[in-house]
Coordinates of all heavy atoms in Angstrom, one line a residue:
E71 N -1.9 -0.6 -3.0 CA -1.6 -0.3 -1.6 C -0.8 1.0 -1.5 O -1.0 1.7 -0.5 CB -0.7 -1.4 -1.0 CG -1.5 -2.7 -0.7 CD -0.7 -3.7 0.0 OE1 0.1 -3.3 0.9 OE2 -0.7 -4.9 -0.3
L72 N 0.0 1.4 -2.5 CA 0.8 2.6 -2.4 C 0.0 3.8 -3.0 O 0.1 4.9 -2.5 CB 2.1 2.4 -3.2 CG 3.1 1.4 -2.7 CD1 4.3 1.2 -3.6 CD2 3.6 1.8 -1.3
L73 N -0.7 3.6 -4.1 CA -1.4 4.7 -4.8 C -2.6 5.2 -4.1 O -2.9 6.4 -4.1 CB -1.8 4.2 -6.2 CG -0.6 3.9 -7.2 CD1 -1.1 3.5 -8.6 CD2 0.3 5.1 -7.3
L74 N -3.3 4.3 -3.4 CA -4.5 4.7 -2.7 C -4.3 5.8 -1.6 O -4.9 6.8 -1.6 CB -5.3 3.5 -2.1 CG -6.1 2.7 -3.1 CD1 -6.5 1.4 -2.5 CD2 -7.2 3.5 -3.7
P75 N -3.3 5.6 -0.7 CA -3.0 6.6 0.3 C -2.5 7.9 -0.3 O -2.8 9.0 0.2 CB -1.9 5.9 1.2 CG -2.1 4.5 0.9 CD -2.5 4.3 -0.5
I76 N -1.8 7.8 -1.4 CA -1.3 9.0 -2.1 C -2.4 9.8 -2.7 O -2.5 11.0 -2.6 CB -0.2 8.6 -3.2 CG1 1.0 8.0 -2.5 CG2 0.2 9.9 -4.0 CD1 2.1 7.5 -3.5
A77 N -3.4 9.0 -3.3 CA -4.5 9.7 -3.9 C -5.3 10.4 -2.8 O -5.8 11.5 -3.0 CB -5.4 8.7 -4.6
Q78 N -5.5 9.8 -1.7 CA -6.2 10.4 -0.6 C -5.5 11.6 -0.1 O -6.1 12.6 0.2 CB -6.4 9.4 0.6 CG -7.5 8.4 0.4 CD -7.8 7.6 1.6 OE1 -7.1 6.8 2.1 NE2 -9.0 7.9 2.2
A79 N -4.1 11.5 0.1 CA -3.4 12.7 0.6 C -3.5 13.9 -0.4 O -3.6 15.0 0.1 CB -1.9 12.3 0.7
H80 N -3.5 13.6 -1.7 CA -3.6 14.7 -2.6 C -5.0 15.1 -2.9 O -5.3 16.1 -3.7 CB -2.9 14.3 -4.0 CG -1.4 14.3 -3.9 ND1 -0.6 15.2 -3.2 CD2 -0.5 13.4 -4.4 CE1 0.7 14.9 -3.3 NE2 0.8 13.8 -4.0
Q81 N -6.0 14.3 -2.4 CA -7.4 14.5 -2.6 C -7.7 14.6 -4.1 O -8.4 15.5 -4.6 CB -7.8 15.8 -2.0 CG -7.7 15.8 -0.4 CD -8.3 17.0 0.2 OE1 -8.3 18.1 -0.3 NE2 -8.8 16.8 1.4
V82 N -7.3 13.5 -4.8 CA -7.6 13.4 -6.3 C -8.1 11.9 -6.5 O -7.7 11.0 -5.7 CB -6.3 13.6 -7.1 CG1 -5.8 15.0 -7.0 CG2 -5.2 12.6 -6.8
P83 N -8.9 11.7 -7.5 CA -9.3 10.4 -7.9 C -8.1 9.5 -8.2 O -7.1 10.0 -8.8 CB -10.2 10.6 -9.1 CG -10.6 12.0 -9.0 CD -9.4 12.7 -8.4
L84 N -8.2 8.2 -8.0 CA -7.1 7.3 -8.3 C -6.8 7.4 -9.8 O -5.7 7.2 -10.3 CB -7.5 5.9 -7.9 CG -6.4 4.8 -8.1 CD1 -5.3 5.1 -7.1 CD2 -7.0 3.4 -7.9
D85 N -7.9 7.6 -10.6 CA -7.7 7.7 -12.1 C -6.7 8.7 -12.5 O -6.0 8.5 -13.5 CB -9.1 8.0 -12.7 CG -10.0 6.9 -12.7 OD1 -9.7 5.8 -12.2 OD2 -11.2 7.0 -13.2
E86 N -6.6 9.8 -11.7 CA -5.7 10.9 -12.1 C -4.2 10.4 -11.9 O -3.3 10.9 -12.6 CB -6.0 12.1 -11.2 CG -5.3 13.4 -11.7 CD -5.8 14.6 -11.0 OE1 -7.0 14.7 -10.8 OE2 -4.9 15.5 -10.7
L87 N -4.0 9.5 -11.0 CA -2.6 9.0 -10.8 C -2.2 8.1 -11.8 O -1.0 8.0 -12.2 CB -2.5 8.4 -9.4 CG -2.8 9.2 -8.2 CD1 -2.5 8.5 -6.9 CD2 -2.0 10.5 -8.2
V88 N -3.1 7.2 -12.3 CA -2.7 6.2 -13.3 C -3.0 6.6 -14.7 O -2.8 5.8 -15.6 CB -3.4 4.8 -12.9 CG1 -2.9 4.4 -11.6 CG2 -4.9 5.0 -13.0
G89 N -3.6 7.8 -14.9 CA -4.0 8.2 -16.3 C -5.0 7.3 -16.9 O -4.9 7.0 -18.1
A90 N -6.0 6.9 -16.2 CA -7.0 6.0 -16.7 C -8.0 6.8 -17.6 O -7.9 8.0 -17.6 CB -7.8 5.4 -15.5
P91 N -8.8 6.1 -18.3 CA -9.8 6.8 -19.2 C -10.7 7.7 -18.4 O -10.9 7.5 -17.2 CB -10.6 5.7 -19.8 CG -9.8 4.5 -19.7 CD -9.0 4.7 -18.4
P92 N -11.3 8.8 -19.0 CA -12.2 9.6 -18.3 C -13.3 8.8 -17.6 O -13.8 7.8 -18.1 CB -12.7 10.6 -19.4 CG -11.7 10.5 -20.4 CD -11.1 9.1 -20.4
V93 N -13.9 9.4 -16.5 CA -15.0 8.7 -15.8 C -16.1 8.5 -16.8 O -16.5 9.4 -17.6 CB -15.4 9.6 -14.6 CG1 -16.7 9.1 -14.1 CG2 -14.4 9.7 -13.6
G94 N -16.8 7.4 -16.7 CA -17.9 7.1 -17.5 C -17.7 6.3 -18.8 O -18.6 5.8 -19.4
D95 N -16.4 6.0 -19.1 CA -16.1 5.2 -20.3 C -15.0 4.2 -19.9 O -13.9 4.3 -20.2 CB -15.6 6.1 -21.4 CG -15.5 5.2 -22.7 OD1 -15.8 4.0 -22.7 OD2 -15.0 5.8 -23.7
P96 N -15.5 3.1 -19.3 CA -14.5 2.1 -18.8 C -14.1 1.1 -20.0 O -13.3 0.2 -19.7 CB -15.3 1.3 -17.7 CG -16.7 1.4 -18.2 CD -16.8 2.8 -18.8
R97 N -14.6 1.3 -21.2 CA -14.4 0.4 -22.3 C -13.0 0.5 -22.9 O -12.6 -0.3 -23.7 CB -15.4 0.5 -23.4 CG -16.8 0.2 -22.9 CD -17.9 0.7 -23.9 NE -17.8 2.2 -24.0 CZ -18.5 2.8 -24.9 NH1 -19.4 2.2 -25.7 NH2 -18.4 4.1 -25.0
V98 N -12.3 1.6 -22.6 CA -11.1 1.9 -23.4 C -10.0 0.9 -23.1 O -9.3 0.4 -24.0 CB -10.6 3.3 -23.0 CG1 -9.3 3.6 -23.8 CG2 -11.7 4.3 -23.4
R99 N -9.7 0.6 -21.8 CA -8.6 -0.3 -21.5 C -9.0 -1.6 -20.8 O -8.3 -2.6 -20.9 CB -7.7 0.5 -20.5 CG -6.9 1.6 -21.1 CD -6.1 2.4 -20.1 NE -5.3 1.5 -19.3 CZ -5.5 1.4 -18.0 NH1 -6.4 2.0 -17.3 NH2 -4.7 0.5 -17.3
L100 N -10.1 -1.6 -20.1 CA -10.5 -2.8 -19.3 C -11.8 -3.3 -19.8 O -12.5 -2.7 -20.5 CB -10.6 -2.4 -17.8 CG -9.3 -1.8 -17.3 CD1 -9.5 -1.2 -15.9 CD2 -8.2 -2.9 -17.2
K101 N -12.1 -4.6 -19.4 CA -13.3 -5.2 -19.9 C -14.4 -5.2 -18.8 O -14.3 -5.9 -17.8 CB -13.0 -6.7 -20.2 CG -12.2 -6.9 -21.4 CD -12.1 -8.3 -21.8 CE -11.3 -8.5 -23.1 NZ -11.2 -9.9 -23.5
P102 N -15.4 -4.3 -18.9 CA -16.4 -4.2 -17.9 C -17.4 -5.3 -18.1 O -17.6 -5.9 -19.2 CB -17.1 -2.8 -18.3 CG -16.9 -2.7 -19.7 CD -15.5 -3.3 -20.0
V103 N -18.0 -5.7 -16.9 CA -19.0 -6.8 -16.9 C -20.3 -6.1 -16.3 O -20.2 -5.5 -15.2 CB -18.6 -8.0 -16.1 CG1 -19.7 -9.0 -16.0 CG2 -17.3 -8.6 -16.6
R104 N -21.4 -6.3 -17.0 CA -22.7 -5.7 -16.5 C -23.3 -6.7 -15.6 O -23.5 -7.9 -15.9 CB -23.6 -5.4 -17.7 CG -24.9 -4.7 -17.3 CD -24.5 -3.2 -16.9 NE -25.7 -2.6 -16.5 CZ -25.8 -1.4 -15.9 NH1 -24.6 -0.7 -15.7 NH2 -26.9 -0.8 -15.5
R105 N -23.6 -6.3 -14.3 CA -24.3 -7.1 -13.3 C -25.4 -6.3 -12.7 O -25.3 -5.5 -11.9 CB -23.3 -7.5 -12.2 CG -22.1 -8.4 -12.6 CD -21.2 -8.7 -11.5 NE -20.1 -9.5 -12.0 CZ -19.0 -9.8 -11.2 NH1 -18.9 -9.3 -10.0 NH2 -18.0 -10.6 -11.7
G106 N -26.6 -6.6 -13.3 CA -27.8 -5.9 -12.8 C -27.7 -4.4 -13.1 O -27.6 -4.0 -14.2
D107 N -27.7 -3.6 -12.0 CA -27.7 -2.2 -12.2 C -26.3 -1.6 -11.9 O -26.2 -0.5 -11.4 CB -28.7 -1.5 -11.3 CG -28.8 -2.1 -9.8 OD1 -27.8 -2.8 -9.5 OD2 -29.8 -1.9 -9.1
S108 N -25.3 -2.4 -12.1 CA -23.9 -2.0 -11.9 C -23.0 -2.5 -13.0 O -23.3 -3.5 -13.7 CB -23.3 -2.5 -10.6 OG -24.1 -2.1 -9.5
T109 N -22.0 -1.7 -13.3 CA -20.9 -2.2 -14.2 C -19.7 -2.4 -13.4 O -19.2 -1.6 -12.7 CB -20.6 -1.1 -15.3 OG1 -21.8 -0.9 -16.1 CG2 -19.5 -1.6 -16.2
V110 N -19.1 -3.6 -13.5 CA -18.0 -4.0 -12.7 C -16.8 -4.3 -13.6 O -16.9 -5.0 -14.6 CB -18.3 -5.3 -11.9 CG1 -17.1 -5.7 -11.0 CG2 -19.5 -5.1 -11.0
V111 N -15.6 -3.7 -13.2 CA -14.4 -3.9 -14.0 C -13.4 -4.6 -13.1 O -12.9 -4.0 -12.1 CB -13.8 -2.6 -14.5 CG1 -12.6 -2.8 -15.3 CG2 -14.9 -1.7 -15.2
P112 N -13.1 -5.9 -13.3 CA -12.2 -6.6 -12.4 C -10.8 -6.0 -12.7 O -10.3 -5.9 -13.8 CB -12.2 -8.1 -12.9 CG -13.6 -8.1 -13.7 CD -13.8 -6.8 -14.2
L113 N -10.0 -5.7 -11.6 CA -8.7 -5.2 -11.7 C -7.6 -6.2 -11.4 O -6.4 -5.9 -11.6 CB -8.5 -3.9 -10.8 CG -9.5 -2.8 -11.1 CD1 -9.3 -1.7 -10.1 CD2 -9.4 -2.3 -12.5
T114 N -8.1 -7.4 -10.9 CA -7.1 -8.4 -10.6 C -7.5 -9.7 -11.5 O -8.7 -9.9 -11.7 CB -7.1 -8.8 -9.1 OG1 -8.5 -8.9 -8.7 CG2 -6.4 -7.8 -8.3

Side-chain angles (χ1 to χ4, degrees):
E71 286 186 42
L72 296 173
L73 294 181
L74 283 170
I76 294 174
Q78 280 192 291
H80 288 320
Q81 296 186 329
V82 297
L84 186 66
D85 288 1
E86 191 168 324
L87 298 187
V88 297
V93 169
D95 186 4
R97 298 167 297 176
V98 178
R99 291 175 49 243
L100 302 169
K101 290 186 175 181
V103 177
R104 188 69 184 172
R105 295 180 182 170
D107 44 16
S108 300
T109 299
V110 179
V111 184
L113 302 178
T114 45

